[in-house]
Amino acid sequence: MADSSQSLSYQAGEAKGQAQEKASNLMDKASDTLQSTKESIQEAGQQIAAKAHGAADAVKDATTFNK
């Protein structure tokens, strides 16, 4: 009976360790995805800011009478 109990305890420990490893891997993947998304959003924001600045300059140039 002790062998059976020890075997079940060992199997439970193995399952727990595997679950923890999977959880850790999922957290790493989620973190990587979040970082990638953050960088993409920052790039998009910079592009939008540059375009807005260019548009503002174009309007300023079109309405300036310093010719």
Side-chain angles (χ1 to χ4, degrees):
M1 192 68 155
D3 288 341
S4 177
S5 177
Q6 288 176 337
S7 177
L8 288 175
S9 179
Y10 175 80
Q11 289 174 356
E14 283 286 308
K16 180 181 177 184
Q18 290 173 0
Q20 288 174 333
E21 182 66 22
K22 286 181 183 180
S24 177
N25 288 340
L26 285 173
M27 291 299 291
D28 288 345
K29 287 180 183 179
S31 178
D32 291 346
T33 300
L34 182 60
Q35 182 64 30
S36 178
T37 301
K38 178 183 172 185
E39 290 169 5
S40 294
I41 290 171
Q42 286 175 335
E43 280 183 39
Q46 290 171 349
Q47 290 174 359
I48 291 169
K51 288 180 182 181
H53 185 72
D57 286 346
V59 169
K60 187 170 36 172
D61 290 345
T63 58
T64 302
F65 298 106
N66 293 338
K67 294 181 180 179

